Structure formats: C-alpha cells, structure tokens
Amino acid sequence: MKIIDAKVIVCSPGRNFVTLKIITDEGLYGVGDATLNGREKAVVSYLEDYVIPMLIGRDPQRIEDIWQYLYRGVYWRRGPIGMTAIAAVDTALWDIKAKAANMPLYQLLGGRSRDKIMVYTHANGLDLGSTLEQVGKAIDQGYKAVRVQSGIPGVAGTYGVSKNNKKYEPADSDLPTEDTWSTEKYLNYAPKLFAEVRKQFGDDIHLLHDVHHRLTPIEAARLGKELEPYHLFWMEDPVPAENQESFKLIRHHTTTPIAVGEVFNSIHDCRELIQNQLIDYIRTTVVHAGGISQLKRIADFASLFHVKTGCHGATDLSPICMAAALHFDYSVANFGIQEHMAHSEKMESVFTRDYRYVDGYFTPGEAIGHGADIDESIAKKYPYKRACLPVNRLEDGTLWNW
Ligand SMILES: [Mg+2]
C-alpha cells in the first residue's frame, strides 16, 4: 500500500477545525484531527509545506517508522505545532491500518480493557445559584462526574464561565479579549462553592475543578488543603507546569489529587511529574501530543507510577480526535476518566462519528477504523475565521496566566 495524496481541510462551523486526510492507492483513506486552538493556520502550513510532500509514496502501514521520521527527521523536535501535525498523521494512519484490518481501532490497540468509558462534563455558572443549577442538570443527564466552574464574586468574568449564558467557547474574537483575575477572591470563594455542591448533591457524584494555571505553588497547596473535605476527583492545572519541581510543594501539603498535561506535547514534558509521582492524572491528548503512538507510550510510562489517564476533551478538539481518544481510552489499562464537552449541532453536522453516550459513559462504536469522518462539502460552507484565546490580567493590570 502507498500514500498517493493527502490534504488539509480547514473549516469553522462555530469554531475552527483542521483535519488531515491521507489517501492510499488501494482506495482506503484515513483522517486525523490537526486542530491547535487559536493557532490553527500554523499547523496547516506545517502540514502542507513540509509534512505532506514527505508522505507521498510511503507505506501507510509503517506507522512507527513514519512517526520517527517526522519526529527525529525534523531536527527541531517537540513543540505544539510540530507535534499536532505529527498527531494528525498518526491518527490518520491508525485509521487506515484499522480499515485495512477490517476492525475497529481499539481492537488493534489490544482490545477493550473495560465495558464503557466514564466521561466528565462541564457545569458552569455566573454565580453560586446558577452553578448549582448546572450541576443538577448534568446529574439529571446521567453524568457520573462533573467539572464545576463558577463566576467569582467581585471578579468581572473568569475562566470556564460564559458571559452570555451560551456554551463556554473561549476562542471567541479576532484579537484576544482581556479577562481580570483576583487570586485572593478566588481562594476565598472556591471552598464555599464545593461545600455547597456537596451539601446539595451528596457524596456520590465525582467533582472536578480546573484552576487553569492561575496560582503559585503555595496558593495551590492552600486550595488543595481547603478542598480536601469535599474529596475532589481532581484539581486540574493548579500552577503552570514549566517548573515541575514546584509540584513537590503542593504535594507535601495536600491529598487532593492533581491532574496536569493538556498543553503538553511530548512524553518529556510529562516525565518529571510522573516519575516523581507529583500528579495522579495525565491529561495529554491524541491531537496535541503526537497521536495515539505517543499517547500509548505516555500511558505505559505513567502506569509504572500509579498515574492514570484523563485526556483533555473540550470542544477545541474535533469529533475525529474524540473518536480516536475513545478507542485509546477503551484499550488502555490505566484509564482514569475522559473529558467530554458536547459539540454544537452545527459542528456535529460537518463530522460523522460512531461513538455514543449512554448514562455517563461512552463507547467508541464498532465501525471499522476510528469511526469518524469529515463531510467536505458541508465543511466548505464554513470558511476559516481567526479566533484567539483571551489573555488575563491581575486587578492592577499585571499580565497573568490565562
Ligand atoms: Mg483544563
């Protein structure tokens, strides 16, 4: 089998998605997600100008060799743009291989390790009352795990909470909008929020919370400690993870589990946190961390240190990435949880998929390959529109982590 063509499809059905389609001489093709939220065109260029010309004529069944070729061969290793491009190729090649084998992808990955995949959804509200209402709605929909984010009294707007009562989609403007942040107001409010959620909904529902890199290590230690009575499933991204040593300080002070890694793109970004057992869940995704091939390596490494997977799965990933992720989740031994944020109807109209939701869990479906595809004629109706993520400032105007 040979690769005879590959193309990049960019569309914006409410938000931007980049899809790679690899076509073989035997009529089989595979698709992979190449979406890097807020920097989509950089990956398009990387694929079209450099990667696609290198793929033509290669045997698509040599997934590992092509992965190594694109990773080692570039000289400039790692980084989100290159690794997202590699991920798209890798996902499309696994799709082709599974189609050639006439089986669902999870079968090629070792078969299923579980019957169903627990996902968590998002509950966001502008204040305590509306947040509690959203948690109730998620529980009514059958979710067993809910990420709770709430507007903070005295702070104009914050991460994870929509200003207009629509679904939260942060990449919403041509140039970055600016948010304001107060660590002290947040730290005073967050424990009260979770106390209320537990009081109203009891102990059974899994609760998650995303700090979104807003704290310093000692502040994160305080938060983790104060949230202990409400036994969170995890506290996500408490501090930026460039300085991984700093997680020791958080760890020394709290038993609240920690999840990190949605912005990581390489196994080397995860290594120190995993091998020093400084986290409990690794959040790397198929699309940003070099595809299924590297995600398998990360998960196997993590399993040695009792770290479970918890893949990022917000709407910045297309249904193609979600499908690939669910095959991975189904097969991997040390699965923890999968994030799921429902795409809009408009977004869903561009993609077909076989995965399905039943009562808090997903299954990837039994279609051959990963089971997701893009309808190019519908995609054409929604041309690319630049959309940037916000930036964040403290109340005195200092630029902070978004
Ligand atoms: Mg996050």
Side-chain angles (χ1 to χ4, degrees):
M1 201 189 296
K2 272 195 170 55
I3 297 170
I4 54 166
D5 196 12
K7 62 175 162 178
V8 180
I9 303 145
V10 184
C11 63
S12 189
R15 67 177 309 146
N16 293 316
F17 291 118
V18 180
T19 304
L20 175 70
K21 184 170 186 175
I22 296 178
I23 300 152
T24 71
D25 60 346
E26 294 186 13
L28 290 178
Y29 68 89
V31 289
D33 184 18
T35 307
L36 184 63
N37 197 8
R39 292 292 184 275
E40 297 87 359
K41 284 290 191 78
V43 184
V44 173
S45 163
Y46 196 98
L47 284 166
E48 288 181 341
D49 295 335
Y50 305 102
V51 172
I52 289 176
M54 295 174 197
L55 292 176
I56 306 302
R58 285 181 194 280
D59 177 356
Q61 303 248 38
R62 296 183 64 185
I63 299 175
E64 185 61 29
D65 183 66
I66 290 176
W67 196 97
Q68 297 294 340
Y69 187 92
L70 296 174
Y71 181 78
R72 293 171 192 263
V74 71
Y75 189 61
W76 309 104
R77 297 183 188 189
R78 304 164 64 181
I81 294 160
M83 295 309 286
T84 300
I86 291 177
V89 174
D90 188 78
T91 306
L93 295 181
W94 277 106
D95 192 24
I96 291 170
K97 201 182 227 353
K99 285 172 177 169
N102 198 32
M103 52 177 66
L105 174 56
Y106 74 83
Q107 294 287 13
L108 276 190
L109 301 177
R112 66 185 173 90
S113 289
R114 55 198 48 79
D115 301 330
K116 51 190 181 179
I117 297 155
M118 185 167 73
V119 294
Y120 71 90
T121 190
H122 294 191
N124 320 315
L126 282 169
D127 53 23
L128 183 60
S130 57
T131 307
L132 292 169
E133 203 179 296
Q134 291 303 317
V135 175
K137 270 190 192 164
I139 293 171
D140 290 345
Q141 287 165 4
Y143 284 99
K144 309 293 181 267
V146 184
R147 190 190 83 156
V148 183
Q149 306 292 137
S150 173
I152 303 159
V155 179
T158 191
Y159 168 78
V161 180
S162 172
K163 290 169 192 144
N164 50 12
N165 274 334
K166 287 188 182 161
K167 281 206 183 285
Y168 181 65
E169 296 285 1
D172 60 354
S173 67
D174 184 48
L175 290 171
T177 52
E178 298 204 357
D179 287 352
T180 312
W181 177 251
S182 164
T183 295
E184 216 35 51
K185 286 173 184 158
Y186 166 72
L187 285 176
N188 288 333
Y189 175 63
K192 292 176 197 152
L193 166 69
F194 281 94
E196 270 311 305
V197 175
R198 278 291 176 223
K199 199 170 134 195
Q200 194 153 330
F201 299 103
D203 288 332
D204 289 344
I205 186 80
H206 295 300
L207 298 178
L208 301 85
H209 180 63
D210 192 347
V211 183
H212 224 254
H213 315 108
R214 301 291 168 96
L215 301 179
T216 64
I218 197 67
E219 290 163 351
R222 170 182 155 191
L223 178 65
K225 210 170 172 176
E226 292 188 8
L227 291 177
E228 277 172 25
Y230 317 114
H231 45 94
L232 264 57
F233 189 94
W234 77 35
M235 168 173 80
E236 177 181 340
D237 287 331
V239 300
E242 283 108 332
N243 179 357
Q244 306 199 347
E245 183 84 14
S246 69
F247 280 77
K248 283 184 185 161
L249 193 150
I250 308 172
R251 230 23 181 180
H252 286 159
H253 287 90
T254 181
T255 56
T256 295
I258 300 172
V260 172
E262 69 180 46
V263 300
F264 289 176
N265 51 74
S266 153
I267 192 168
H268 302 287
D269 299 333
C270 315
R271 186 171 44 80
E272 213 182 312
L273 286 178
I274 291 173
Q275 76 188 9
N276 294 322
Q277 294 179 275
L278 297 175
I279 58 172
D280 302 280
Y281 297 90
I282 183 70
R283 301 238 325 123
T284 42
T285 60
V286 172
V287 60
H288 300 138
I292 290 164
S293 296
Q294 185 172 241
L295 217 51
K296 275 159 53 73
R297 287 192 266 276
I298 292 171
D300 284 344
F301 176 64
S303 74
L304 304 180
F305 301 94
H306 309 282
V307 175
K308 294 181 179 180
T309 65
C311 292
H312 177 66
T315 46
D316 59 320
L317 318 178
S318 88
I320 294 172
C321 179
M322 191 65 191
L326 289 168
H327 284 273
F328 169 79
D329 296 336
Y330 216 30
S331 65
V332 70
N334 50 327
F335 170 76
I337 199 165
Q338 168 70 51
E339 184 178 20
H340 174 251
M341 201 176 159
H343 287 107
S344 70
E345 258 176 52
K346 201 171 41 161
M347 290 180 211
E348 294 267 3
S349 73
V350 177
F351 298 91
T352 55
R353 57 173 173 86
D354 201 45
Y355 58 80
R356 59 204 67 177
Y357 172 84
V358 182
D359 203 23
Y361 297 88
F362 269 81
T363 49
E366 293 296 322
I368 62 161
H370 56 49
D373 207 341
I374 182 164
D375 186 322
E376 292 179 59
S377 61
I378 299 178
K380 262 190 208 135
K381 288 199 254 170
Y382 304 110
Y384 170 82
K385 199 172 156 226
R386 187 172 62 199
C388 294
L389 291 167
V391 296
N392 197 26
R393 291 187 188 275
L394 302 180
E395 288 174 310
D396 69 356
T398 306
L399 198 81
W400 196 238
N401 312 309
W402 178 72

